[in-house]
Every structure is written in C-alpha cells, then in structure tokens.
Amino acid sequence: MKNFILQNENAIYFECKFSCDNVIFLNLGDEKYFITDARYITEALEYAKKCQVIQSSNLIETTKEILKKNKIKKIIFDPNDFSYATYTNLSENLKTQFIAKPNFSKLKRIIKTDKEIILLKKAAMAGREGFKELAKYIKKNGFEQSEQFLYFKAFEKMSQIGKLDISFEPIVAINENAAKPHALPTSKKLKLNDLLLVDAGVKYKRYCSDRTCTSAVDFEKFSFKREQKFKNEKHQKVYDIVLKAQLNAIEKARVGMKASQVDKLTRDIIEKSGFGKYFIHSTGHGVGLDIHEFPNINSKSDVIIENNMVFTIEPGIYLPNEFGVRIEDTIVMQNGKAVIL
C-alpha cells in the first residue's frame, strides 16, 4: 500500500509515534507528511518519526497542494475516518482518485509486534494494580457509597491518581444496573451482599488494558479475584456459569481456529445452562491502540486466529431488572494458545 491518507489519531500514531487532534497524515510512496497547525508543531517536530512535519493553517488545502505537486493518481482512505465535509473538500477539483478501503489501518494492526505485546502487558499489569487499589477502597469505605461516587473512585484508582490515562470510562454497576452491559452510574448505594460489576482499563504509552470483574460485596473479604462467594444462590449459580464459559474459551482457544469457534466456546456453555438468550453480545474484541480493534470474536466472524493477536474473552449473562455477570480478561495468542495478559 504505497499511497494512503489518515486522519484517525491512533492510526497516525501507529505510523509515526505521534499524533494530535488536528492532523492529516499522507503516505506517498516512501515520502510521509505530517500536516498540523501551529498549536502542535513544536511537539510534532520533536516526536513524529520518519516523516516531514508541515505547519499549516488550512490542512485540507496543504494536503491538496502536496497531492497535486506529486501528481498522485490514486490514494487509499478509510471512509470511517473522514467526515463527509472533509472528504468532499479534499476530493473536489483534484485529479487524485480516492479509493475507499474500510479499516485498512486496523487490519494492518491486527497482529501485534513483540514490542506492542510488552506495552499491552504493562497496561494490563497497571490495570490490575488499579483494580487492587479500588478493591482496598471499597473494603474500607465503599459501604453506602453511590455508583456515581464509586465511578469517580474507579477513575482515581485506575489512573493512579492521574498518572495514567484510562482506556474508556469505567462501568460501575450494582445488582439490577449490572444487567445493562454498558450501565451508566446511578445514585444507587452499595450494600452488604450486593453484586458489583466493574469494567475498567488504563493506557500505557497509548496501549489499552480492558478487564471486567463481578464481585460479591462483603466488607471483610471484598476483592476482585475470580473466586467469589455470593450469599445469593442465583448470583452464585450465574457467576459460576459465566466463569466456566470464560475459562473454557481461555483454555481451548487455539491458533488456526476461526473467531466464531472461539465465540462458540463461551456461548455453548451458557446456552446449555439455559441462559443463552441472556448472553447478548459477542465474546470479545481486539485490544491495542484502540480499545476496540480487530479481531472481533463473534458468532459470524471467519477471521482465522493467529499468534500475536490480542483480544478479550468476556462472556456475560444479563437478567433484566435482576442482575448481570460479566467476566473479562485480555489475552494474547502465543505458541498457539491463549495467555492472559
């Protein structure tokens, strides 16, 4: 792929190790151009690697001039990446043909390098530390705190009080709110023997972590560990099914399988237990510079699993107006098998 144009921050970071929120990146054969405005120029000159940094007050006009000057006949772009206005402004009065190739940057990033896996592992370890700190807080001060306040505490503890960026807004959900996979925090307060679901992650050098824990609220022994003892029998039953489904996929996922077969490893167990219709999302998604990358681990995906792919395994059961359980780890495929990061 000789000629392509990018506007997505993470796609650009992947190409040159720097990005910002107002940039157009051009790759024309062996020439690379990072076009940005005066606000970012100092850092771009310092951090952007192996590309020509150009300051411009009109990124689109500068891009068009470079394309004309280089007599570029065809250029690849990701239609998910550009607004309609940017695309029409870029392509009008230009002889260059824009060829739509959806997700070409994400496809390029689907197999991680060994260096990227080290960064993802560091992100995962930092995320684990954040969960430990949050558990300590809940054990000591969580009683009668609202989801909204615990959500704020999840931000604080996961980010190591602002040292790290979070990879997405945390999900903190008690009992029936946990039945919504992407629950928004409410004023509901945490009580003894509640079920608490927390989904959170951090970034290390822009690479994301992602993990979900569902826990029994016991203020003496509270933790986000996988062994949980619920006082409520139904909580325990559903928790054990989800954990069994998750471990089944982690133990049996293999290089050479289709992504849909990995999805089946969690779904079959949940379906056989009679809760199939309450598992309402896919088994997982790729993780990297973006929190949602390729491969998608769902029932329709024919993508072949390869070594150095990194993705989540996160089955869940969601019983409306009652409770929900999700258990998630991010894994890397190494030596043909899944290894938890």
Side-chain angles (χ1 to χ4, degrees), residues 54-283:
I54 296 169
Q55 184 179 327
S56 168
S57 56
N58 187 329
L59 273 54
I60 288 172
E61 283 311 310
T62 303
T63 301
K64 288 170 91 161
E65 281 163 24
I66 294 169
L67 291 171
K68 280 177 192 165
K69 197 177 102 185
N70 286 279
K71 298 190 172 79
I72 300 300
K73 290 194 177 79
K74 291 178 181 178
I75 194 157
I76 286 165
F77 79 108
D78 183 345
N80 301 305
D81 200 359
F82 288 83
S83 71
Y84 181 69
T86 304
Y87 171 73
T88 41
N89 288 340
L90 263 174
S91 53
E92 72 182 357
N93 303 325
L94 201 62
K95 285 179 181 159
T96 307
Q97 184 192 352
F98 282 74
I99 298 164
K101 201 165 182 187
N103 301 311
F104 74 86
S105 176
K106 279 190 178 179
L107 288 164
K108 205 173 177 176
R109 285 149 41 201
I110 192 166
I111 294 174
K112 305 295 184 260
T113 64
D114 292 344
K115 266 188 190 164
E116 285 181 297
I117 288 165
I118 290 165
L119 296 174
L120 284 159
K121 190 165 181 63
K122 285 188 172 168
M125 298 310 280
R128 194 181 177 86
E129 213 41 56
F131 267 97
K132 271 188 196 158
E133 290 304 311
L134 182 61
K136 275 185 209 164
Y137 177 83
I138 289 170
K139 200 168 164 180
K140 203 171 159 197
N141 303 310
F143 190 61
E144 287 294 331
Q145 299 286 10
S146 69
E147 283 178 344
Q148 284 151 340
F149 187 75
L150 293 171
Y151 165 86
F152 159 70
K153 281 288 162 191
F155 252 99
E156 182 189 286
K157 301 298 180 190
M158 293 303 294
S159 71
Q160 295 178 14
I161 317 177
K163 279 187 199 148
L164 298 168
D165 281 334
I166 55 163
S167 42
F168 56 94
E169 296 205 354
I171 295 166
V172 176
I174 300 164
N175 295 347
E176 66 272 19
N177 213 19
K180 305 167 199 162
H182 282 194
L184 298 169
T186 70
S187 56
K188 189 174 176 60
K189 291 189 169 148
L190 193 66
K191 295 182 170 62
L192 188 65
N193 301 328
D194 276 347
L195 173 146
L196 176 68
L197 183 151
V198 177
D199 184 349
V202 294
K203 290 182 183 181
Y204 179 82
K205 295 191 175 172
R206 287 184 82 117
Y207 283 83
C208 298
S209 79
D210 192 0
R211 184 170 181 235
T212 307
C213 301
T214 305
S215 300
V217 178
D218 170 345
F219 295 107
E220 280 171 28
K221 300 193 291 279
F222 183 84
S223 81
F224 287 122
K225 288 179 176 157
R226 291 300 183 230
E227 307 76 47
Q228 292 289 328
K229 290 281 168 272
F230 293 86
K231 286 276 194 291
N232 178 314
E233 277 180 33
K234 197 171 181 185
H235 287 176
Q236 191 69 54
K237 181 186 173 183
V238 170
Y239 184 86
D240 291 344
I241 292 163
V242 174
L243 184 59
K244 186 181 171 187
Q246 199 231 11
L247 292 174
N248 190 54
I250 292 170
E251 282 162 21
K252 293 181 183 168
R254 293 290 180 271
V255 160
M257 274 184 176
K258 286 180 179 176
S260 58
Q261 290 173 289
V262 179
D263 181 87
K264 200 170 171 347
L265 290 171
T266 62
R267 207 165 295 280
D268 280 359
I269 284 174
I270 291 173
E271 280 174 358
K272 278 175 194 152
S273 69
F275 289 98
K277 69 173 180 179
Y278 302 109
F279 180 12
I280 54 177
H281 54 69
S282 61
T283 288

